[in-house]
């Protein structure tokens, strides 16, 4: 969509809004455009938006009282008015409801928490999100639940503790919608042992720093990729190193993302359980065979059930299952079937994602093409089915986030039975605790109040294996940061 600005230069804010309202590719037809204008009177700034989209045209206005506002406040008020005008015009030309209204940020619960911390009550905050951002009551309810649970987790964190993420960037094969940097383990087999060596070395180097400074680990999460694409022996090596090098004696939660059911065996789950992980993720994404096939996932719904039964037999008391609304070839009925099947299995956690098609994904042509992706209104219908079904079975939403290019600009939500929420998920989303990440592509977030500093490891396994120096350098930065926040320097 062509963007034209008159009287202002808030380009970034408007671009974000257009992506949220129309998606990455939509609106690319000739003649589609947004003309965004801002004009000033004595007291008000008036924003207008004129949108032409697929032969339809709409115009909308919004204004902001800028009397007495300083420069920063003025920018905030004007940006908000411009977004609201664009949102109202978009709603008219597309005829869509936009459950998140004009809210474009990726962490709605974080925004909710900010207002609560500012002294507003949950009901005042809810009303403000509906009135000011046009968020639907259902989404406000999600944001409120996630914000309240997130605050509880934040307030229960203790000084001198952090969480850790360990990444295994290998998968048995690539799913068509995936945008992660993950290598097919069959093709990258020569890299696996050197990768584990490098990972164990990083665990030792940074683990020594944590021990020296008396830092403890609250939660640990082994993710990917697909950690269970490693052999049982390789998984054992990684988990031995975690136990040996990291200060995990007081661990509150230990999760392994098994992920793809076609990698799960009793032997591997046995190793994971023996090493103390109590929480595991088994991800069907869909319980529709045809959808799995279109997504390039070579497993069946029956394989999911079998993997789940193995996990219970091995003794896992907390299982998460991921689903995705909006996959190629899926329909509201198909997704309802997926939710019903997963509910029938009765895991402690269910995560309902909405497909986000990023640049790294392979969905380009053939049956699993972007043209075979369900329409936004159908994705909304999928979630409209899932929410009450989950509430009725005793699950509550406890964390959520949005991504760019997400189907229908919706959200990913973690649901859990009370008392089985994944604490790591909340820490990573709400960004109130340092997350120390290990492995290729891992990003460490050093959190100091509202300030967050990021340290990124080399993206690809080959670079990560070769770059010992970077790990050493980042370890020095990590040490300085930990000394600083503990007031020791
Ligand atoms: S299993 Fe997960 S990480 Fe691996 S290719 Fe599929 S979606 Fe991507």
């Amino acid at each position: 969509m062509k963007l034209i600005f008159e009287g202002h230069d808030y380009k970034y804010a408007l671009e974000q809004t257009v992506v949220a309202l129309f998606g990455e590719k939509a609106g690319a037809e000739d003649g589609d455009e947004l003309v965004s204008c801002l004009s000033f009177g004595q007291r008000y700034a008036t924003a207008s938006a004129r949108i032409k989209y697929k032969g339809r045209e709409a115009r909308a206005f919004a204004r902001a009282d800028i009397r007495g506002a300083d420069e920063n406040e003025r920018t905030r008020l004007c940006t908000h008015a411009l977004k609201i005008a664009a949102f109202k015009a978009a709603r008219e030309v597309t005829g869509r409801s936009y459950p998140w209204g004009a809210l474009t940020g990726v962490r709605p619960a974080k925004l909710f928490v900010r207002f609560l911390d500012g002294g507003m009550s949950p009901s005042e905050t809810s009303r403000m999100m509906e009135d000011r951002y046009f968020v639907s009551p259902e989404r406000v309810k999600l944001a409120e639940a996630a914000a309240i649970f997130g605050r509880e987790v934040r307030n229960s964190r203790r000084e001198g503790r952090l969480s850790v993420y360990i990444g295994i960037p290998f998968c048995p094969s690539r799913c068509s919608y995936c945008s992660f940097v993950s290598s097919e383990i069959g093709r990258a087999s020569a890299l696996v042992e050197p990768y584990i060596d490098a990972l164990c070395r990083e665990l030792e180097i940074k683990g020594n720093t944590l021990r020296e400074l008396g830092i403890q680990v609250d939660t640990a999460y082994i993710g990917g990729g697909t950690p269970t694409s490693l052999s049982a022996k390789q998984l054992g090596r990684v988990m031995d190193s975690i136990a040996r090098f990291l200060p995990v004696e007081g661990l509150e939660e230990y999760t392994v993302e098994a992920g793809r059911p076609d990698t799960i065996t009793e032997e591997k789950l046995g190793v994971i359980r023996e090493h103390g992980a109590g929480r595991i993720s088994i991800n069907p994404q869909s319980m529709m065979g045809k959808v799995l096939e279109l997504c390039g996932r070579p497993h069946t719904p029956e394989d999911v059930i079998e993997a789940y039964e193995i996990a219970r037999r091995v003794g896992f008391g907390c299982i998460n299952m991921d689903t995705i609304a909006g996959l190629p070839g899926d329909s509201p009925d198909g997704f309802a079937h997926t939710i019903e099947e997963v509910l029938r299995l009765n895991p402690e956690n269910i995560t309902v994602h909405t497909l986000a098609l990023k640049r790294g994904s392979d969905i380009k042509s053939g049956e699993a093409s972007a043209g075979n992706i369900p329409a936004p209104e159908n994705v909304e219908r999928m979630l409209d089915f899932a929410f009450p079904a989950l509430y009725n079975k005793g699950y509550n939403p406890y964390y959520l986030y949005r991504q760019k290019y997400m189907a229908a600009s919706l959200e990913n939500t973690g649901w859990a039975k009370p008392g089985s929420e994944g604490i790591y998920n909340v820490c990573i989303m709400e960004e109130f605790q340092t997350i120390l990440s290990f492995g290729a592509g891992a990003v460490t977030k050093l959190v100091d109040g509202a300030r967050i500093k990021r340290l990124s490891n080399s993206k690809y396994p080959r670079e990560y294996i070769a770059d010992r120096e970077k790990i050493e350098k980042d370890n020095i930065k990590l040490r300085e940061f930990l000394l600083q926040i503990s007031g020791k320097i």
Side-chain angles (χ1 to χ4, degrees):
M1 175 170 283
K2 189 173 166 192
L3 299 184
I4 299 163
F5 305 102
E6 289 174 9
H8 73 92
D9 193 22
Y10 297 117
K11 200 168 164 233
Y12 180 74
L14 265 294
E15 277 171 359
Q16 297 298 308
T17 305
V18 166
V19 168
L21 296 170
F22 295 94
E24 184 188 18
K25 296 185 183 92
E29 287 182 16
D30 279 351
D32 289 351
E33 66 177 29
L34 160 67
V35 182
S36 169
C37 309
L38 191 64
S39 57
F40 295 92
Q42 290 282 48
R43 177 172 177 176
Y44 293 105
T46 302
S48 75
R50 184 170 50 77
I51 296 182
K52 287 187 192 165
Y53 181 68
K54 293 188 175 174
R56 299 185 65 185
E57 186 170 338
R59 196 177 177 119
F61 298 89
R63 65 179 191 175
D65 187 344
I66 52 169
R67 226 176 4 166
D70 64 18
E71 193 59 32
N72 287 343
E73 182 65 359
R74 204 176 144 100
T75 299
R76 197 185 62 74
L77 291 167
C78 290
T79 309
H80 181 71
L82 288 163
K83 284 181 175 184
I84 295 295
F87 158 71
K88 286 180 175 172
R91 195 171 50 178
E92 223 178 300
V93 283
T94 63
R96 289 186 38 211
S97 59
Y98 295 113
W100 285 102
L103 203 62
T104 50
V106 295
R107 295 188 176 85
K110 205 172 175 186
L111 180 72
F112 206 105
V113 167
R114 201 184 310 148
F115 290 117
L116 294 182
D117 287 346
M120 281 169 73
S121 69
S123 59
E124 284 168 337
T125 307
S126 298
R127 208 171 320 119
M128 192 269 303
M129 284 183 90
E130 285 182 40
D131 296 347
R132 189 160 173 215
Y133 294 98
F134 299 88
V135 180
S136 75
E138 292 76 26
R139 263 46 184 200
V140 169
K141 197 173 160 193
L142 277 191
E144 179 179 357
I148 289 176
F149 187 75
R151 266 217 320 183
E152 269 173 34
V153 174
R154 182 190 71 184
N155 295 343
S156 65
R157 295 305 91 192
R158 284 171 284 157
E159 292 274 311
R161 301 181 74 93
L162 44 69
S163 287
V164 296
Y165 173 86
I166 298 98
I168 308 293
F170 302 105
C171 287
S173 62
R174 197 159 174 81
C175 309
S176 61
Y177 56 83
C178 182
S179 57
F180 292 117
V181 175
S182 181
S183 313
E184 286 188 18
I185 199 153
R187 289 192 198 178
S189 58
L191 286 178
V192 177
E193 286 295 334
Y195 181 80
I196 295 173
D197 292 341
L199 186 60
C200 295
R201 194 168 57 237
E202 189 186 8
L203 287 163
E204 181 173 5
I205 292 169
K206 295 183 180 168
N208 283 342
T209 300
L210 300 186
R211 287 203 182 277
E212 180 206 334
L213 301 178
I215 305 286
Q216 285 288 317
V217 178
D218 263 354
T219 73
Y221 192 103
I222 307 182
T226 306
T228 40
S229 55
L230 300 183
S231 68
K233 197 168 160 210
Q234 289 164 337
L235 271 171
R237 256 186 87 200
V238 173
M239 295 185 82
D240 278 341
S241 291
I242 292 170
R244 183 163 162 222
F245 299 126
L246 299 185
V248 288
E249 296 75 25
L251 208 53
E252 186 182 339
E253 178 186 282
Y254 196 171
T255 304
V256 177
E257 191 178 357
R260 285 257 297 258
D262 47 325
T263 60
I264 293 174
T265 65
E266 190 145 355
E267 189 191 10
K268 291 181 195 179
L269 294 193
V271 167
I272 293 170
R273 192 74 196 97
E274 275 161 26
H275 282 80
R279 191 168 178 275
I280 199 165
S281 215
I282 296 171
N283 301 331
Q285 312 302 13
S286 171
M287 291 298 270
M288 298 291 289
K290 174 76 179 162
V291 174
L292 292 171
E293 213 177 289
L294 282 175
C295 292
R297 288 176 71 95
H299 66 81
T300 61
E302 291 72 35
D303 294 334
V304 174
I305 296 167
E306 198 187 328
Y308 183 88
E309 284 167 357
I310 295 174
R312 285 297 191 213
R313 213 164 45 236
V314 169
F316 284 97
C318 189
I319 300 179
N320 170 68
M321 300 186 88
D322 279 5
T323 61
I324 303 179
L327 287 172
D330 210 355
S331 64
D333 284 348
F335 190 70
H337 172 76
T338 293
I339 292 293
E340 279 167 348
E341 281 294 282
V342 170
L343 284 171
R344 199 175 53 75
L345 289 170
N346 199 23
E348 286 65 30
N349 297 181
I350 298 175
T351 310
V352 181
H353 292 272
T354 308
L355 183 67
L357 270 190
K358 298 185 206 159
R359 282 188 186 87
S361 74
D362 287 339
I363 294 184
K364 287 176 203 127
S365 58
E367 261 201 297
S369 69
N372 209 3
I373 301 276
E377 50 277 20
N378 282 339
V379 183
E380 281 185 49
R381 283 175 59 203
M382 294 178 189
L383 298 192
D384 287 347
F385 175 86
F387 288 7
L390 286 155
Y391 278 122
N392 285 342
K393 291 283 183 184
Y395 294 84
N396 293 314
Y398 75 99
Y399 82 98
L400 88 136
Y401 63 102
R402 299 172 72 206
Q403 287 170 285
K404 259 187 181 181
Y405 315 130
M406 199 158 225
S409 189
L410 293 163
E411 70 283 317
N412 300 324
T413 308
W415 297 76
K417 293 188 178 172
S420 64
E421 297 86 356
I423 303 299
Y424 171 85
N425 293 327
V426 179
C427 295
I428 189 85
M429 278 312 135
E430 303 309 324
E431 300 182 315
F432 48 70
Q433 188 185 49
T434 288
I435 308 274
L436 179 54
S437 300
F438 298 86
V443 179
T444 288
K445 287 184 187 176
L446 302 172
V447 179
D448 180 10
R451 275 180 305 169
I452 300 175
K453 188 173 171 196
R454 287 174 167 78
L455 299 176
S456 302
N457 280 0
S458 302
K459 200 168 172 186
Y460 299 100
R462 205 179 291 280
E463 297 165 7
Y464 170 74
I465 293 163
D467 209 350
R468 286 167 174 248
E469 217 176 294
K470 175 149 178 43
I471 300 292
E472 298 281 1
K473 278 187 188 157
D474 282 354
N475 184 48
I476 294 171
K477 290 182 194 159
L478 170 70
R479 193 171 182 282
E480 274 169 11
F481 170 81
L482 294 172
L483 282 168
Q484 237 163 34
I485 58 162
S486 62
K488 290 179 186 158
I489 53 169

